[in-house]
Amino acid sequence: MGIVDELYQNKIFHVSSEELVHMLQSLKQKKEAEITEVKEKIYKYEKDKRAKEALYQSLSPLRKLFAARPPSHHQAVEYLVHVKERLRKIDKLRQFIAKIDEALRHLENGSFQEEIVLPASIVEQLKIMQETGDQLS
């Protein structure tokens, strides 16, 4: 089965349909693992922030006066970097997984075709996988 790039409409490489399904499934597993890692980073950041806030609240009023606490706009930027950007990354990864699922459904329909048209992002990842021989079992 030939893999055609959706953007440039040129044939990238040729693999069997079973191998393509296996490659797409392993790519999906990698992206799901990446989502899990990002979620863990967000959880860790929020846990640390809660611990720091609890420590600050436990201080006496005099110590609170002298405690170095970042201004609210710094906290907002910190939240943007550690949470919002990571949530956007998760959304992009989920969209990528949805594209992979769509390609897998198309392959599993049973209709034999000589070529399959895939989005450029998936084709690029498949090329990298094929060049490095990186596949999950």
Side-chain angles (χ1 to χ4, degrees):
M1 173 172 288
I3 298 175
V4 177
D5 187 353
E6 182 180 65
L7 185 61
Y8 299 112
Q9 294 295 318
N10 55 356
K11 193 170 184 179
I12 305 300
F13 53 89
H14 188 79
V15 294
S16 68
S17 60
E18 294 85 19
E19 186 178 348
L20 180 60
V21 168
H22 178 70
M23 289 172 75
L24 288 173
Q25 288 174 343
S26 66
L27 185 59
K28 180 180 174 181
Q29 289 174 351
K30 286 180 184 180
K31 296 301 176 184
E32 287 172 346
E34 196 173 333
I35 286 174
T36 304
E37 289 174 15
V38 172
K39 283 182 180 179
E40 287 173 4
K41 288 179 182 179
I42 291 172
Y43 175 74
K44 183 181 176 190
Y45 166 76
E46 289 177 343
K47 182 180 173 185
D48 290 344
K49 187 155 177 81
R50 283 191 303 272
K52 288 178 184 176
E53 184 62 29
L55 177 65
Y56 180 78
Q57 293 300 325
S58 70
L59 294 176
S60 67
L62 185 59
R63 286 191 177 218
K64 281 184 184 179
L65 183 64
F66 294 112
R69 193 167 187 197
S72 62
H73 64 278
H74 286 239
Q75 291 175 353
V77 170
E78 188 177 279
Y79 180 81
L80 261 172
V81 170
H82 290 285
V83 177
K84 285 285 200 170
E85 291 297 322
R86 289 178 177 163
L87 289 175
R88 287 186 190 125
K89 184 175 183 179
I90 288 173
D91 286 340
K92 287 180 184 178
L93 289 170
R94 285 188 177 146
Q95 289 172 358
F96 189 80
I97 289 174
K99 290 178 186 177
I100 292 173
D101 286 337
E102 184 180 328
L104 285 170
R105 276 193 303 274
H106 184 70
L107 284 171
E108 291 171 356
N109 272 344
S111 60
F112 179 76
Q113 296 178 345
E114 248 181 66
E115 294 181 342
I116 183 168
V117 179
L118 295 175
S121 57
I122 294 177
V123 170
E124 187 63 34
Q125 292 289 322
L126 290 176
K127 274 201 280 190
I128 291 169
M129 284 178 68
Q130 191 176 41
E131 290 171 1
T132 61
D134 183 26
Q135 289 187 14
L136 295 174
S137 299

